[in-house]
Amino acid sequence: MPELVLESNGRTWTLDPSRTYTLGRDPQGDIVLDDARVSWRHATIAFNGRSWVIEDVGSTNGTFVQGQRIHQVEIGPGSAVHLGNATDGPRLNLTAAAAAVAQPQQQPYAAQGADPGWGRPAPQQPAPQEGWQQAPSIPQQQGPVGPVENLVQKVPGGAAGAPPVHGDRSPTTFHQFALGRVMRIGRSLENDLVVSDLQVSRHHAEFHATPDGRFEIRDLGSHNGTYVNGQPIPKGGSAQLGPTDIVGVGHSTFRIVGDRLEEFVDTGEVSFSARHLTVTVDGGKQILKDVSFGVPEKSLVAVIGPSGSGKSTLLKALTGYRPADQGEVLYDNRNLYKQFAELRQRIGLVPQDDILHKELTVKKALTYAAKLRFPADTTAAEREARIDEVLRELKLDIHADKKVTSLSGGQRKRVSVALELLTKPSLIFLDEPTSGLDPGMDRDVMQLLRGLADDGRTVLVVTHSVAELALCDKLLVMAPGGSVAYFGPPEEALNFFGYDSWADVFSAFENYRDYDWAGRWKGSQHYQRYAADIDAVAPQAVHMPPPQAIRPPKPQSWGSQLLTLVRRYCAVIASDKGFMALTVILPAVLGAVSLLIDSDKGLLVNPVNPRTGIPVPNGTATTVLLILSVGACFAGAANSVRELIKERVIYERERATGLSRSAYLMSKVIVLGAITVLQGLMVGVIGFSSREIPDQGLILGHATLVELCLPVMALGFTSMMVGLVISSLVKTAEKTMPLLVMFAIIQVVFTGCLFTLHGTAGVNEFSYLMPSRWAVAAAGTTLDFNKISPNTDDPTSTDPLWDHQASAWSMDMAALIALGVICGFLVARFLRRHEPEVMRK
């Protein structure tokens, strides 16, 4: 069996065919490549009995052979492999063992403790670009390079006198400035500084070094925004930079030190800590009390505790959904609350409920999510590649074409995690991911989270399950009242409490609710070992602008988001065959019911008594119109009354990642409005077409049928808007049906068909708030209800809303539409309550 020699950046490894080698950033791996684009566990190389094979094991940025991304491929002497990028990623050259006789064999440098350097292949001294100063050279190696690779070098530490950006971590790379020149940043290869990040626009921003020695950053109309000290600069605007200012672009941050630009790439190796978090509710009651802890990078942390211990409140405080009243949350030494607009893209949140439309297939659901989260200039191929990458990483590729509803509970949770991984978050929060799962699925989900942490992410999970706590690196135990009872390794927790099982610990919490659990914790050696130093963590030493209303930039334009939302909503509805059938059957039945009312009588104005020749009231007209209007009200409200409440978790998460509230609402209005208007047309045509109606309308001339159907259609649309108001107000879907029934009954009473409203003080004015009042009035003007159904108590008193005039019809319709617009405004305001509070501030 032939040995194979692997060479990268001046180092060599001789591979033994009898074993498998792992490649990645993990120091415990066989071949360690310290490059930001290489995953923690990136690939494996093994001999299969016939040839050497390299296999990508779900890396984030991919493995490339001959410029093509591969999953598994045969390799041999003469092959060249790139990791993380097809052109300038770390290059692995393969030769036969005999070719390496002159080279000293070396063990993986992780075992030697040697510093591997940055790991990126250097170019063969291409001529520096005009106007740029070339950085000190680094060891040469064959391989294609980007436009400014000759300006990049790993530096051993931060510049003297410069404030820390990411704790005490050194910059990933630096780039040399030349005065009077421009350095453009973006995803496209023609930029001076290429950032391989789908959160970055093709041409994102420019650094300008002016002749007087000052620097500024200019946004180039980027989709996800350019940030200075965590605050977005205006789209297309610019900002002056000082020596302590930090510029954020996607997952990278930049700092100018002297005449060079230092770059820090967020690869998941971030610290996260909470300091003195306290949440106070109405009445001064504290539901979270002085919570402090620090999460090590690349770790899995579990949060457990009995009911009422503040776990959900803590999660909202840590993610910015409901910031703590006191204290701060530090993401890699940056204040999350003050810099939420930028850092929100680096944090993933998987709520307890699924955050995907279950009616769609896994692939289609992720595709729509990617369209909303990635910049508008991201190509379909780039989105597709990222989705496939995530599916392979989570072993969901075999389920890609299955509907989410057909998956098991554990698989559905994997899909929710996959959605969050699309944007490569460094920090992932999960709320009760194993709730309702059997022990086997519980283990699978926790092992999945363990793998995410091992791959270089920090994962924090709130859970009730204690079966798999041994998989976690740290455990946070919350005591009743919202204080910390323990933080440290899970294997030491039971011994700390002095009990044999977690059931005994939780019973002690319940039986001794007034005991000072937090005081016991802070007086222990465990506190001194694992949490006492949290108070010494200093926040980022940069100038923070005064608080302002944050308007985070949106990755997509309003129109693009609206189109994607409409297409997704139509796909969801089309996949629900039951709903599709109901939308056709319901109006057909409601319209047909009206045909049972005196079917031999028409709606002709002023029917005449054949014996006396005197016009008589036509009760059939008001009865039929009552049935049709109530049917339109019920159908319209039923279409929408559950739509917002059932998607509330999805909306909350998407809103935090840049979804436009008005685009979301408008997508519902357009799709549901179109369905409801067609239903109203069906109801009106069935109810009116078989009856005798006036030959001449007030507005549309001989098209009287259309003129009568328009109020019914508008009533259905406005009722649909009322249904959205109800859906935005309730807390559970079960509360919508009683409110729907109540709404329909109220509309029956205030149509004006059961009793005379005009002249009834108070009641008539209140009826102006009812959509059915205006819809019946509009149809009544065409049919001349003041003559068809006169006021029997006072025949001389007529309802001005029923006047047989074009102006009355127009006023009635305008009022009906105005009610719909008012409902839309209310829905927008109520939706605002379901957004991260830090965004509202």
Side-chain angles (χ1 to χ4, degrees):
M1 294 184 293
E3 291 184 336
L4 189 69
V5 174
L6 184 150
E7 188 271 335
S8 178
N9 202 26
R11 306 192 66 82
T12 60
W13 296 265
T14 301
L15 308 186
D16 184 351
S18 64
R19 56 166 298 193
T20 299
Y21 293 85
T22 60
L23 292 76
R25 296 198 328 272
D26 185 357
Q28 303 304 316
D30 300 302
I31 300 172
V32 186
L33 300 162
D34 187 17
D35 187 286
R37 297 162 295 181
V38 177
S39 293
W40 193 249
R41 293 177 181 173
H42 195 104
T44 62
I45 296 180
F47 189 77
N48 64 5
R50 183 171 56 89
S51 62
W52 287 92
V53 174
I54 185 169
E55 179 180 359
D56 188 282
V57 290
S59 67
T60 300
N61 294 317
T63 304
F64 301 85
V65 175
Q66 294 182 347
Q68 300 296 319
R69 184 165 186 164
I70 58 95
H71 173 61
Q72 186 181 70
V73 70
E74 294 183 357
I75 55 176
S79 299
V81 179
H82 284 89
L83 304 182
N85 188 285
T87 56
D88 62 354
R91 180 187 174 105
L92 310 178
N93 295 309
L94 307 177
T95 58
V101 172
Q103 301 179 11
Q105 179 177 338
Q106 301 182 23
Q107 297 298 322
Y109 55 71
Q112 301 174 3
D115 182 6
W118 186 48
R120 179 183 290 194
Q124 293 191 25
Q125 289 298 91
Q129 294 181 339
E130 181 182 355
W132 292 101
Q133 295 179 359
Q134 185 171 351
S137 61
I138 54 180
Q140 302 297 305
Q141 180 175 323
Q142 297 288 337
V145 295
V148 292
E149 291 301 321
N150 57 312
L151 307 176
V152 182
Q153 180 183 4
K154 174 74 179 284
V155 293
V165 179
H166 300 280
D168 56 357
R169 192 156 70 249
S170 300
T172 307
T173 62
F174 75 80
H175 313 268
Q176 201 73 24
F177 265 121
L179 298 181
R181 298 294 296 175
V182 175
M183 180 182 288
R184 175 174 291 184
I185 301 175
R187 204 172 71 246
S188 179
L189 292 177
E190 61 261 23
N191 290 285
D192 302 307
L193 201 164
V194 179
V195 180
S196 299
D197 182 357
L198 289 182
Q199 294 296 310
V200 177
S201 298
R202 290 189 174 276
H203 300 94
H204 197 102
E206 290 179 342
F207 281 100
H208 287 252
T210 59
D212 59 2
R214 295 185 303 167
F215 297 93
E216 69 175 9
I217 181 70
R218 295 181 184 175
D219 184 82
L220 299 179
S222 63
H223 299 279
N224 278 329
T226 304
Y227 300 82
V228 176
N229 300 329
Q231 303 300 314
I233 64 175
K235 193 170 185 177
S238 62
Q240 294 289 329
L241 300 177
T244 62
D245 290 329
I246 305 300
V247 176
V249 174
H251 286 80
S252 298
T253 50
F254 301 88
R255 175 181 62 183
I256 296 176
V257 179
D259 60 349
R260 72 182 184 188
L261 182 68
E262 294 185 347
E263 178 182 5
F264 298 80
V265 179
D266 189 342
T267 59
E269 299 175 358
V270 298
S271 61
F272 184 81
S273 61
R275 297 175 56 194
H276 305 296
L277 297 183
T278 300
V279 174
T280 305
V281 295
D282 296 338
K285 179 181 179 181
Q286 291 185 343
I287 57 177
L288 202 65
K289 299 179 181 178
D290 195 25
V291 174
S292 297
F293 64 95
V295 179
E297 58 187 45
K298 298 180 295 185
S299 62
L300 174 59
V301 180
V303 179
I304 65 172
S307 298
S309 60
K311 298 188 301 296
S312 297
T313 302
L314 174 63
L315 187 63
K316 292 179 180 179
L318 294 177
T319 57
Y321 273 59
R322 199 294 187 189
D325 299 303
Q326 300 177 27
E328 59 183 351
V329 177
L330 299 178
Y331 175 98
D332 220 18
N333 216 31
R334 304 173 66 187
N335 191 302
L336 175 65
Y337 297 160
K338 294 181 179 180
Q339 304 188 31
F340 182 81
E342 177 186 354
L343 298 179
R344 65 193 173 110
Q345 297 289 356
R346 307 188 192 185
I347 296 176
L349 173 62
V350 181
Q352 183 173 347
D353 297 325
D354 294 326
I355 52 178
L356 290 167
H357 291 87
K358 300 178 183 179
E359 301 85 355
L360 302 178
T361 65
V362 173
K363 186 71 172 287
K364 185 173 290 187
L366 292 179
T367 298
Y368 284 120
K371 287 182 178 179
L372 290 173
R373 296 194 180 193
F374 289 145
D377 60 3
T378 306
T379 65
E382 288 175 318
R383 288 194 301 266
E384 192 86 3
R386 180 57 188 156
I387 292 171
D388 291 342
E389 187 178 319
V390 171
L391 290 176
R392 286 195 303 269
E393 180 179 359
L394 298 184
K395 297 179 175 59
L396 287 169
D397 45 338
I398 60 175
H399 304 296
D401 297 323
K402 296 179 182 178
K403 285 190 175 183
V404 178
T405 50
S406 67
L407 303 179
S408 66
Q411 290 169 342
R412 285 202 303 272
K413 192 59 62 177
R414 282 178 177 266
V415 176
S416 294
V417 173
L419 186 151
E420 292 302 312
L421 291 185
L422 289 175
T423 55
K424 299 183 181 180
S426 303
L427 185 64
I428 302 177
F429 293 94
L430 300 100
D431 186 12
E432 300 287 357
T434 61
S435 177
L437 302 183
D438 61 49
M441 290 185 179
D442 183 354
R443 176 183 299 174
D444 289 343
V445 171
M446 292 302 292
Q447 287 177 341
L448 165 67
L449 303 184
R450 178 71 263 170
L452 293 178
D454 291 340
D455 199 37
R457 304 176 183 93
T458 300
V459 182
L460 188 145
V461 53
V462 175
T463 180
H464 276 108
S465 175
V466 297
E468 304 297 333
L469 294 180
L471 293 173
C472 302
D473 298 298
K474 289 291 188 294
L475 175 65
L476 175 66
V477 182
M478 300 294 294
S483 58
V484 177
Y486 173 82
F487 178 75
E491 61 270 16
E492 300 179 16
L494 288 176
N495 182 60
F496 170 80
F497 287 108
Y499 292 98
D500 296 328
S501 69
W502 284 108
D504 294 333
V505 175
F506 279 45
S507 295
F509 283 149
E510 181 64 28
N511 296 332
Y512 306 100
R513 298 186 69 88
D514 295 332
Y515 182 75
D516 186 10
W517 295 100
R520 180 177 183 271
W521 156 243
K522 291 186 176 181
S524 67
Q525 293 182 350
H526 284 78
Y527 173 79
Q528 297 298 325
R529 186 183 308 170
Y530 300 118
D533 60 342
I534 297 301
D535 294 340
V537 177
Q540 181 180 333
V542 298
H543 169 70
M544 295 302 301
Q548 57 179 321
I550 299 176
R551 294 183 178 272
K554 299 175 177 59
Q556 303 278 339
S557 66
W558 188 90
S560 179
Q561 284 194 1
L562 177 61
L563 180 61
T564 299
L565 291 168
V566 168
R567 292 177 61 187
R568 182 178 70 177
Y569 195 27
C570 289
V572 170
I573 291 177
S575 64
D576 190 346
K577 306 303 180 185
F579 180 82
M580 292 288 289
L582 189 62
T583 57
V584 177
I585 295 174
L586 181 61
V589 171
L590 293 174
V593 168
S594 69
L595 299 179
L596 302 177
I597 307 301
D598 292 336
S599 57
D600 58 334
K601 295 182 181 180
L603 298 178
L604 184 64
V605 176
N606 289 336
V608 178
N609 188 319
R611 290 182 298 174
T612 62
I614 301 175
V616 295
N618 186 348
T620 302
T622 54
T623 304
V624 169
L625 199 55
L626 172 65
I627 293 175
L628 296 181
S629 61
V630 172
C633 284
F634 185 82
N639 285 340
S640 61
V641 75
R642 288 176 177 262
E643 290 306 304
L644 298 183
I645 181 62
K646 75 179 184 181
E647 291 186 359
R648 181 160 296 171
V649 176
I650 298 176
Y651 171 74
E652 289 177 352
R653 185 66 195 119
E654 291 184 341
R655 178 66 177 144
T657 59
L659 178 69
S660 166
R661 183 195 314 137
S662 59
Y664 175 78
L665 176 57
M666 189 57 65
S667 70
K668 298 295 183 185
V669 172
I670 291 174
V671 177
L672 292 176
I675 293 173
T676 304
V677 166
L678 291 176
Q679 287 179 324
L681 178 62
M682 186 182 299
V683 168
V685 169
I686 295 175
F688 291 128
S689 61
S690 62
R691 297 181 180 276
E692 186 179 0
I693 58 178
D695 296 329
Q696 187 74 20
L698 295 173
I699 301 294
L700 302 180
H702 293 292
T704 310
L705 178 61
V706 177
E707 187 173 309
L708 289 172
C709 289
L710 284 176
V712 179
M713 296 160 65
L715 175 59
F717 179 85
T718 302
S719 299
M720 181 273 296
M721 297 299 297
V722 174
L724 289 178
V725 173
I726 296 174
S727 190
S728 64
L729 282 173
V730 296
K731 294 184 177 180
T732 62
E734 290 74 18
K735 295 180 180 179
T736 59
M737 295 314 295
L739 294 174
L740 173 62
V741 173
M742 182 179 69
F743 169 73
I745 292 176
I746 291 176
Q747 299 310 304
V748 172
V749 174
F750 289 98
T751 56
C753 297
L754 297 181
F755 60 91
T756 302
L757 292 173
H758 177 63
T760 307
V763 176
N764 185 45
E765 286 72 21
F766 182 74
S767 71
Y768 293 161
L769 300 176
M770 303 298 143
S772 62
R773 172 75 161 109
W774 298 100
V776 169
T781 60
T782 301
L783 298 174
D784 199 359
F785 263 19
N786 278 325
K787 292 184 179 179
I788 286 181
S789 182
N791 189 340
T792 55
D793 296 330
D794 184 6
T796 62
S797 176
T798 59
D799 191 336
L801 302 185
W802 289 0
D803 287 345
H804 189 58
Q805 298 176 0
S807 59
W809 188 94
S810 299
M811 181 188 68
D812 295 337
M813 290 294 291
L816 184 57
I817 295 173
L819 286 177
V821 172
I822 293 173
C823 288
F825 175 78
L826 293 176
V827 174
R829 299 301 298 175
F830 295 147
L831 279 176
R832 188 173 179 270
R833 301 182 308 167
H834 306 295
E835 299 171 2
E837 188 172 327
V838 69
M839 293 177 67
R840 300 202 299 271
K841 290 184 177 181

